């Protein structure tokens, strides 16, 4: 009986470690650079947004969880140029500002490097 218990406990541990591993992976990188065309790239704090917003939908209802996908969708014309910038990023930052909450950048050079 004892051995069965130990085996079960061992299996449970392996399973939970695997689950933790998968969860950590699917969160994506903490920060990365986004392509901003002629205005230069944007340093994007991904983890800060995940923690501040508490869910993924504000962005990932618009584009999937994949690095480089915004650029890819613009090439395929499933997203217009500056669409994510205006309708997702800046729209939310402005809404938070209007509500008197802590908000993100609204001016060009606060996001873009050029
Ligand atoms: C404020 C916007 C925003 C929110 C909210 C957000 N993400 Fe992302 N996420 C992005 C952007 C931008 C990219 C990169 C897209 C690109 O490179 O074109 C990305 C990419 C990713 C990737 C691929 C990155 C990598 O390192 O492989 C994963 C995985 C991901 N997100 C998971 C999540 C999860 C899980 C949540 C919710 C807990 C979440 N994201 C919330 C904006 C966001
Ligand atoms: C909150 C951050 C942010 C601010 C503020 C911002 N941008 Fe952007 N910009 C982005 C992101 C993210 C992209 C890439 C996604 C897209 O094209 O929608 C982008 C893309 C661009 C592009 C490239 C579009 C293309 O595909 O050719 C240009 C040009 C640009 N922005 C100019 C500006 C100008 C001018 C301003 C100020 C009026 C500005 N941006 C303000 C985040 C921002
Ligand atoms: C649904 C709301 C929402 C969306 C969508 C969103 N942001 Fe933000 N962003 C915030 C808030 C809120 C803050 C302020 C968080 C803080 O400082 O605690 C912020 C802060 C930032 C900052 C400043 C971080 C710092 O260190 O001061 C940058 C840069 C930024 N956002 C870029 C972007 C870009 C680029 C996108 C689009 C891909 C985006 N955000 C989409 C809500 C949003």
């Amino acid at each position: 009986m004892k051995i069965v218990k130990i085996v079960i406990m061992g299996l449970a541990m392996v399973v939970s470690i695997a689950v933790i591993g998968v969860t950590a992976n699917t969160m994506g990188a903490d920060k990365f650079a986004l392509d901003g065309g002629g205005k230069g790239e944007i340093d994007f704090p991904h983890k800060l947004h995940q923690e501040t917003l508490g869910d993924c939908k504000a962005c990932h209802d618009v584009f999937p969880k994949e690095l480089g996908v915004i650029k890819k969708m613009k090439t395929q014309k499933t997203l217009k140029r500056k669409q994510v910038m205006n309708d997702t990023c800046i729209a939310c930052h402005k809404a938070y500002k209007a509500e008197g909450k802590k908000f993100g950048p609204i001016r060009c050079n606060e996001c873009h490097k050029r």
Side-chain angles (χ1 to χ4, degrees), residues 5-42:
K5 259 192 189 165
I6 290 168
V7 169
I8 290 173
M9 273 173 60
L11 279 176
M13 267 176 70
V14 169
V15 169
S16 45
I17 288 167
V19 168
I20 291 166
V22 168
T23 315
N25 272 334
T26 53
M27 293 303 279
D30 288 355
K31 48 179 92 172
F32 38 77
L34 295 174
D35 186 89
K39 282 293 284 172
E41 52 187 30
I42 304 107

Side-chain angles (χ1 to χ4, degrees), residues 39 74 81-85 106-108 111-112:
K39 282 293 284 172
K74 286 196 288 189
R81 293 175 156 211
K82 300 192 185 180
Q83 184 181 332
V84 170
M85 167 181 126
I106 289 167
R107 292 202 312 263
C108 318
C111 277
H112 290 281

Side-chain angles (χ1 to χ4, degrees), residues 48 52-53 92-105:
L48 173 77
T52 305
L53 305 178
C92 175
H93 293 171
K94 281 188 175 161
Y96 272 55
K97 184 182 183 190
E99 287 167 32
K101 293 195 270 190
K102 204 171 174 191
F103 60 97

Side-chain angles (χ1 to χ4, degrees), residues 12-80:
M13 267 176 70
V14 169
V15 169
S16 45
I17 288 167
V19 168
I20 291 166
V22 168
T23 315
N25 272 334
T26 53
M27 293 303 279
D30 288 355
K31 48 179 92 172
F32 38 77
L34 295 174
D35 186 89
K39 282 293 284 172
E41 52 187 30
I42 304 107
D43 284 329
F44 178 65
H46 192 220
K47 191 177 182 185
L48 173 77
H49 284 85
Q50 290 174 332
E51 285 173 351
T52 305
L53 305 178
D55 82 28
C56 320
K57 286 190 217 155
C59 296
H60 292 301
D61 273 0
V62 182
F63 53 87
K65 296 171 179 148
E66 193 186 314
L67 278 184
V69 75
I70 297 174
K71 201 177 176 183
K72 191 164 100 188
M73 288 171 79
K74 286 196 288 189
T75 313
Q76 294 167 343
K77 306 224 189 303
T78 43
L79 276 177
K80 290 190 216 114

